[in-house]
Amino acid sequence: MIDLKQKTISTDEALEVIIFNELGTITKPTLISWIKKNKLGKKVGGRWRVNEEKFFKYLGVTGD
């Protein structure tokens, strides 16, 4: 069953999370590679959406 309540963020928002948490900087192609390799999101309407919970867990940060 699909969880329709999963919050997703855009790739731009995901890049901002990385910068905000002082984890360095990465390029959008690198981020998309992480998303694919680690199943952190999916492509919706031609754009990548990142599962917020999985992404934060992957980075080891909280959403606060």
Side-chain angles (χ1 to χ4, degrees):
M1 179 162 213
I2 298 172
D3 181 3
L4 299 176
K5 294 184 181 183
Q6 290 182 344
K7 182 166 186 227
T8 62
I9 58 175
S10 70
T11 53
D12 289 336
E13 291 169 319
L15 290 171
E16 288 175 11
V17 168
I18 292 169
I19 293 168
F20 178 79
N21 286 285
E22 300 176 350
L23 300 173
T25 57
I26 63 167
T27 63
K28 193 175 284 191
T30 298
L31 175 63
I32 292 169
S33 175
W34 288 2
I35 295 167
K36 290 178 184 177
K37 181 179 177 184
N38 299 292
K39 296 180 176 46
L40 300 175
K42 61 183 173 181
K43 206 168 195 180
V44 178
R47 301 205 181 261
W48 283 97
R49 298 297 299 173
V50 183
N51 179 300
E52 189 177 57
E53 183 180 342
K54 287 181 182 180
F55 185 61
F56 286 178
K57 188 179 287 187
Y58 177 76
L59 294 177
V61 299
T62 63
D64 301 336

